[in-house]
């Protein structure tokens, strides 16, 4: 299926993470040009090297995504490509802290990375976002159901959906679409400790009986970035094997 992503310019943050890396590869396979961000820019070297063989343009940006100078560098890279057709802010953290023991600093760190940086980077990119672009945000099953020991994370993911829907309303007149994917428990370094502690409970609670794979989330994001989803906006797509239904 042609997803009509050839020569489209897509910005991905957290691009060296499990989902971000899979997403970058899929978009390269579809012929897109990329701006890839990661805290440690050197972690993007292998992706950039692979892209050179495809003839696609890949620009990389390193730095703390919360910082204005990092956000300006990401926006400048998007402008260098000629404007932004798609945006997928995958950068985020998932750290366990029981709420009764959570410090103000722990709360603010998660909020600043998972929510504040997403909003401010969207604003910084906005002058370079083309009409009919697609913005795909990362929600979570935690934003729907809550998550033990992750009150800060769950709060950011619930807020991301409200933010995304407001953006969809405000920018829809330009043909810009905004949607979100809500992963469940995905096999990745971010969830290793959680999965180990659950002793199989998470798999048993999931109707499909297994954990998700990063590529399955990347597939959903790629679809939402593409023109194949041209009349979908303000939607949250659950990519969690039915876990959101589990009691």
């Amino acid at each position: 299926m042609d997803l009509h992503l050839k020569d489209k310019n897509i910005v991905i943050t957290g691009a060296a993470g499990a989902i971000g890396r899979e997403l970058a590869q899929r978009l390269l396979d579809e012929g897109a040009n990329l701006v890839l961000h990661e805290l440690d820019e050197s972690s993007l070297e292998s992706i950039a090297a692979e892209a050179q063989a495809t003839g696609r343009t890949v620009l990389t940006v390193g730095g703390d995504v919360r910082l204005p100078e990092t956000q300006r560098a990401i926006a400048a890279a998007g402008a260098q490509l000629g404007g932004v057709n798609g945006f997928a802010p995958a950068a985020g953290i998932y750290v366990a802290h029981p709420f009764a023991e959570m410090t103000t600093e722990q709360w603010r760190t998660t909020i600043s990375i998972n929510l504040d940086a997403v909003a401010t980077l969207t604003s910084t990119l906005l002058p370079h976002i083309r009409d009919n672009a697609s913005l795909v945000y990362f929600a979570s099953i935690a934003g729907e159901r809550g998550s033990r020991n992750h009150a800060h994370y769950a709060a950011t993911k619930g807020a991301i959906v409200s933010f995304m829907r407001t953006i969809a309303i405000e920018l829809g007149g330009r043909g810009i679409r905004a949607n979100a994917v809500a992963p469940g428990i995905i096999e990745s370094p971010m969830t290793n400790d959680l999965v180990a502690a659950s002793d199989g409970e998470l798999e048993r609670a999931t109707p499909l009986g297994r954990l998700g794979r990063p590529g399955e989330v990347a597939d959903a994001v790629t679809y939402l970035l593409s023109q194949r989803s041209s009349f979908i906006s303000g939607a949250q797509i659950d990519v969690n094997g039915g876990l959101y239904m589990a009691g």
Side-chain angles (χ1 to χ4, degrees):
M1 179 184 292
D2 183 2
L3 296 178
H4 306 292
L5 285 166
K6 182 176 172 55
D7 297 325
K8 300 300 183 183
N9 305 325
I10 314 292
V11 174
I12 306 171
T13 68
I19 294 172
R21 184 175 291 271
E22 291 278 351
L23 177 59
Q25 188 58 62
R26 278 157 176 72
L27 293 172
L28 288 172
D29 290 345
E30 293 292 334
N33 302 309
L34 304 178
V35 174
L36 303 179
H37 157 270
E38 189 53 78
L39 180 62
D40 177 6
E41 189 174 4
S42 67
S43 64
L44 300 172
E45 290 177 356
S46 63
I47 303 176
E50 292 171 11
Q52 289 179 350
T54 70
R56 311 315 308 165
T57 299
V58 175
L59 304 178
T60 62
V61 178
D64 187 332
V65 73
R66 296 171 292 181
L67 298 178
E69 54 265 36
T70 303
Q71 296 189 3
R72 288 193 294 268
I74 293 170
Q80 184 178 336
L81 291 180
V84 175
N85 303 107
F87 175 42
I93 61 171
Y94 180 77
V95 183
H97 296 114
F99 185 69
E101 303 169 12
M102 189 180 299
T103 67
T104 299
E105 181 180 2
Q106 289 166 343
W107 172 270
R108 288 178 175 167
T109 296
T110 293
I111 298 294
S112 68
I113 295 172
N114 290 5
L115 178 60
D116 293 345
V118 173
T120 54
L121 180 54
T122 299
S123 177
T124 302
L125 281 174
L126 197 54
H128 308 291
I129 294 176
R130 293 178 172 179
D131 292 351
N132 303 310
S134 176
L135 317 179
V136 184
Y137 296 92
F138 287 80
S140 169
I141 190 172
E144 301 176 58
R145 300 178 50 178
S147 179
R148 184 184 300 275
N149 298 329
H150 295 93
H152 41 8
Y153 179 84
T156 65
K157 295 307 181 178
I160 281 292
V161 175
S162 297
F163 172 74
M164 171 273 291
R165 288 182 172 145
T166 301
I167 292 297
I169 293 167
E170 294 191 8
L171 301 183
R174 292 177 52 194
I176 295 173
R177 298 178 296 110
N179 293 289
V181 294
I185 308 302
I186 306 300
E187 296 174 344
S188 73
M190 183 181 284
T191 61
N192 283 345
D193 290 345
L194 177 67
V195 171
S198 78
D199 193 27
E201 180 181 350
L202 292 170
E203 292 93 328
R204 291 190 293 272
T206 302
L208 287 183
R210 64 173 176 84
L211 303 179
R213 295 182 287 270
E216 292 173 313
V217 181
D219 286 338
V221 177
T222 301
Y223 170 71
L224 290 172
L225 286 169
S226 79
Q227 284 301 304
R228 290 292 181 179
S229 60
S230 59
F231 203 53
I232 300 175
S233 194
Q236 175 180 296
I237 306 299
D238 288 292
V239 189
N240 49 47
L243 182 60
Y244 76 98
M245 301 182 294

